[in-house]
Amino acid sequence: MIDPDQAGSSTYDAIVIGAGISGMYFIYRLREMGLTAIGFEAGSGVGGTWYWNRYPGARFDSESYSYGYSFSEEVLNEWEWSEHFASQPETLRYLNFVADKFDLRRDIRFNTRVSKAYYNEMDGLWRVETETGDRASARFLLTAVGILSEPYIPDFPGADTFEGKKWHTSTWPHQPVDLGEKRVGIIGTGATAVQLITEVAKNVGDLTVFQRTPNYCKPLRNSPIDKATQAEIKASYAEIFDKCRRSFGGFIHDFDTRSALGVDEEERLEFYERLWNERGFGFWLGSFIDILSDVEANQTVTEFVRKKIRERIDDPDVAKLLVPKCHPFGTKRVPLESGYYEAYNRENVHLVDLHSSPIQCFTETGIKTSSTEYEFDVIIYATGFDAVTGALNRIDIRGENGISLKEKWADGPRTMLGMQTVGFPNMFITAGPHNASSFCNVPRCLEQNVEWITECIGYMRDHEYTHIEATAEAEGEWTDHVLEAADETLFPEVDSWFMGANIPGKKRVFLNYVGGTQNFREKCDVIAADNYKGFTFR
Ligand code: N01
């Protein structure tokens, strides 16, 4: 425990960890409330996910105009998205535009990674230490560290011996990378890899993709936004955000109330065909109501997608490998693509099936599988993230009596609304486990998180409360509800980051909230209106 007398020289109302979408909004809201706040950010600029993930092809899978902040009319009027699904550079420009507009950077310390956060019972303050030796203390600890921000790199034997260049997609170099003449290996075929492979394939010497599990990818159908549509979007922001607020996943798409089995085959196929030809996630989150909960209903859509994939690949042997066989459609995050399958029709793009020939080790010159040795100049890990809890666990967070958050959650997270956990008074989590934001058009839910938390802090100020903590009973009920909601779907049957199953040794338990973002919002509102039932105040 940090000696209170030795604590940082600066004390604030709140410390915010992270300067991505929620961290930036926290700084804005707290300042508006007249509270003092300091943000700590590991990167050299704002943007979080969009600051780090600079790999070629990185772009929204949410419609751009449904993704930005909704809280400021001025921002909505002044900013124009150039494409239906904006690319990473544009999104980072947007977040910098917001940071400039509200002068947010003056309350954020960059290049400063938080290593420890301790609650001190003596004075009821949180103390934070950073890797660079900064210290600060505050009444409230607000974590805004992101859902997918702790990169996962598998422990391949010999990785250090490889003499070429290698990096994870989320730490893509900030300088331009020319792969035009290079022999490149990419490990992974998740949503990140799907975007990356499509782009890299267009300008690479030779590309080899190492695939363990194929995915069901759906065409994104991106295009520039023309002037007339731009005007229409600007005129209908209120409706767009209202639609997102009322939908299951915070998107402009929402489930059809019919069962996939309640219509005849012709009608069903027509419906799938229409959704397939639409932009974005409608095919996944705007489909029949039971495709993610009923095996038989799911089979109808799974078969439809398998056929679509096969049609696009020239070599039937490659097609066989790219068509998923084991998991039902939609039970892992559906990658949206813009020419992914056609990339494998190029002569310089090769697919390696890791089921039949697993990676044995890295060598000085490349990768050795059980059947072949490959030589590379560059190896890219598109191997995903220690999702949802990884970025929190990386920080040594300790609550009352020195209890460690990582230890408390070793058998799976326990939370109240995904925003608080017993034993950690005055600590609020955005984008944490059991929170709708982990299965959402993320900014829509992050805005809700930040508004709910800051309103709660405002309520405490009005009532002269200094401390808030979830009750054990409420935490138990919420955790049970989260797991019961997951059990009503097919998600728990499949290994994915939703289940923590992508990280060796991590407890296999559902991490997200799939009770619907609209229901989550409603529950949060009811609790707030009932004087924050489920929380105790001091
Ligand atoms: O990570 P993933 P991701 N040996 O975990 C493979 C969001 N996102 O970065 O499936 C060999 O999905 C692994 O194989 P398998 C989105 O929420 C958003 O792609 O475990 N391979 C898999 O193929 C997404 O869900 C957007 O068998 C190994 C891949 O690596 C989340 O980010 C864009 C391996 C990891 O896939 C994460 O996506 C992109 C090993 N030891 C992503 N370990 C936008 O909306 C893992 N793999 C813009």
Side-chain angles (χ1 to χ4, degrees), residues 62-68 237 240-241 244 250-252 441 443-444:
S62 311
E63 285 72 7
S64 307
Y65 29 89
S66 76
Y67 192 94
Y237 266 127
I240 292 170
F241 291 127
C244 294
F251 288 93
I252 57 172
N441 180 11
R444 298 281 58 77

Side-chain angles (χ1 to χ4, degrees), residues 50 55 58-62 148 152 154-156 168-169 187-193 195 210-213 215 281 332-333 354-355 359 382-385 495 497-498 502:
W50 300 102
Y55 61 86
R59 66 172 63 248
F60 288 158
D61 281 344
S62 311
L148 295 148
Y152 166 60
D155 191 11
F156 294 116
H168 187 274
T169 47
I187 306 172
T189 49
T192 300
Q195 293 184 327
F210 294 89
Q211 170 184 272
R212 201 162 59 180
T213 312
N215 267 303
F281 272 141
K332 282 165 165 277
R333 158 67 147 78
L354 293 180
H355 280 296
I359 293 177
T383 42
F385 299 86
D495 284 346
W497 66 260
F498 298 164
N502 62 325

Side-chain angles (χ1 to χ4, degrees), residues 67 140 147 154 351 424:
Y67 192 94
F140 294 100
I147 304 163
L351 183 64
F424 297 78

Side-chain angles (χ1 to χ4, degrees), residues 140-431:
F140 294 100
L141 179 70
L142 309 177
T143 73
V145 294
I147 304 163
L148 295 148
S149 46
E150 181 62 17
Y152 166 60
I153 296 184
D155 191 11
F156 294 116
D160 288 342
T161 60
F162 176 61
E163 287 175 353
K165 296 218 156 64
K166 61 180 180 351
W167 59 78
H168 187 274
T169 47
S170 72
T171 49
W172 195 273
H174 288 203
Q175 303 74 31
V177 176
D178 182 5
L179 299 174
E181 307 272 306
K182 302 279 195 282
R183 297 160 304 169
V184 177
I186 295 181
I187 306 172
T189 49
T192 300
V194 165
Q195 293 184 327
L196 173 71
I197 290 162
T198 310
E199 270 322 291
V200 168
K202 292 176 189 166
N203 186 19
V204 68
D206 203 76
L207 172 63
T208 303
V209 176
F210 294 89
Q211 170 184 272
R212 201 162 59 180
T213 312
N215 267 303
Y216 300 96
C217 310
K218 142 88 181 54
L220 174 66
R221 306 203 190 283
N222 189 23
S223 68
I225 298 176
D226 59 42
K227 262 198 154 167
T229 312
Q230 194 74 258
E232 236 173 73
I233 289 169
K234 289 218 165 162
S236 48
Y237 266 127
E239 286 154 50
I240 292 170
F241 291 127
D242 186 52
K243 205 170 187 181
C244 294
R245 248 193 304 278
R246 285 184 288 107
S247 73
F248 176 84
F251 288 93
I252 57 172
H253 313 282
D254 203 5
F255 284 104
D256 190 291
T257 49
R258 293 171 299 165
S259 159
L261 306 172
V263 295
D264 64 32
E265 191 176 358
E266 195 184 341
E267 191 176 348
R268 190 163 55 228
L269 290 178
E270 222 174 87
F271 179 66
Y272 288 153
E273 198 64 45
R274 177 168 66 72
L275 292 179
W276 188 258
N277 289 317
E278 287 178 4
R279 300 181 199 283
F281 272 141
F283 188 81
W284 184 29
L285 302 175
S287 189
F288 294 114
I289 191 77
D290 50 359
I291 64 150
L292 298 178
S293 56
D294 183 291
V295 177
E296 213 187 315
N298 182 284
Q299 266 164 7
T300 64
V301 68
T302 294
E303 277 316 313
F304 179 92
V305 184
R306 285 180 176 149
K307 186 162 169 284
K308 288 284 184 197
I309 297 172
R310 264 183 231 116
E311 285 168 4
R312 292 170 58 187
I313 303 149
D314 295 345
D315 182 338
D317 290 335
V318 176
K320 242 186 224 165
L321 295 179
L322 286 169
V323 173
K325 288 158 222 57
C326 299
H327 65 282
F329 169 81
T331 52
K332 282 165 165 277
R333 158 67 147 78
V334 176
L336 297 183
E337 54 80 33
S338 309
Y340 173 64
Y341 292 111
E342 286 73 13
Y344 294 95
N345 294 336
R346 292 172 184 258
E347 282 192 357
N348 62 339
V349 177
H350 323 283
L351 183 64
V352 175
D353 172 31
L354 293 180
H355 280 296
S356 55
S357 41
I359 293 177
Q360 288 188 333
C361 62
F362 279 34
T363 64
E364 284 177 13
T365 52
I367 289 178
K368 186 169 181 281
T369 66
S370 59
S371 62
T372 313
E373 232 179 293
Y374 300 86
E375 295 199 346
F376 297 119
D377 303 303
V378 178
I379 295 174
I380 298 163
Y381 297 102
T383 42
F385 299 86
D386 182 355
V388 190
T389 51
L392 286 165
N393 285 342
R394 179 188 180 132
I395 304 169
D396 185 10
I397 300 177
R398 291 182 185 263
E400 285 167 326
N401 305 316
I403 176 182
S404 139
L405 183 68
K406 189 174 173 180
E407 281 165 26
K408 176 177 172 183
W409 285 358
D411 271 336
R414 298 186 62 75
T415 77
M416 172 56 174
L417 296 176
M419 292 199 263
Q420 269 222 341
T421 187
V422 175
F424 297 78
N426 286 359
M427 177 175 111
F428 286 101
I429 305 162
T430 60

Side-chain angles (χ1 to χ4, degrees), residues 14-19 21-33 35-40 102-109 142 450 454:
I15 291 172
V16 179
I17 312 181
I21 289 169
S22 53
M24 288 168 62
Y25 191 32
F26 264 136
I27 298 286
Y28 171 85
R29 291 273 298 193
L30 293 165
R31 206 190 270 167
E32 290 281 293
M33 291 166 72
L35 298 174
T36 56
I38 177 84
F40 289 112
F102 300 114
D103 189 18
L104 298 180
R105 288 189 203 81
R106 75 178 146 92
D107 289 328
I108 302 169
R109 247 176 255 172
L142 309 177
V450 171
T454 49

